[in-house]
Amino acid sequence: LRLHHSGRYLCGGRVVSQWRESEQVTVTVHRVPLSGVSLSAQPPGGQVALGDSLVLSCTVAVGTGPLSFSWHREGSGAPLGISPRLELNHIGENDSGQYRCRVSDGDSMAESDPMNVTVL
């Protein structure tokens, strides 16, 4: 369901040779607040060797869309990415730190717990 599915509904059909319709019902679709934003890493644990790649994935347990994502590292300014996945290629020492994913549904925002990324 989407928010635009809200409205009045009825059904109809032919009974013997006469068209009949049901009573109308009102359906209201509500947003479900965001919750359960979590991170996972590949390779697992957020530890990666210098020069290798790391993929962080953000998932939402509950919430209605459309959803927008942003990635943040502690101490950095602008978002690092805006998709559910953040790919860090050719990892450098400066990529170590705490990473978070923020998710918005347009009305509210939820944030993951931080993940420590360690460059070995």
Side-chain angles (χ1 to χ4, degrees), residues 38-92:
S38 61
L39 293 184
S40 61
Q42 191 60 20
Q47 292 189 344
V48 61
L50 186 68
D52 283 354
S53 297
L54 176 70
V55 177
L56 300 176
S57 297
C58 185
T59 57
V60 179
V62 178
T64 53
L67 302 177
S68 60
F69 295 82
S70 64
W71 288 93
H72 305 270
R73 185 178 69 233
E74 185 178 42
S76 68
L80 304 172
I82 56 169
S83 75
R85 287 170 41 104
L86 177 66
E87 296 186 30
L88 301 171
N89 297 308
H90 310 293
I91 291 281

Side-chain angles (χ1 to χ4, degrees), residues 1 10 16 18 22 30 33 38 51 56 60 65 69 73 80 82 89 98-100 104 116 120:
L1 286 172
L10 60 84
V16 186
Q18 194 173 25
S22 69
H30 299 279
S38 61
L56 300 176
V60 179
F69 295 82
R73 185 178 69 233
L80 304 172
I82 56 169
N89 297 308
Q98 289 191 335
Y99 288 74
R100 292 180 188 268
S104 173
N116 286 318
L120 304 172

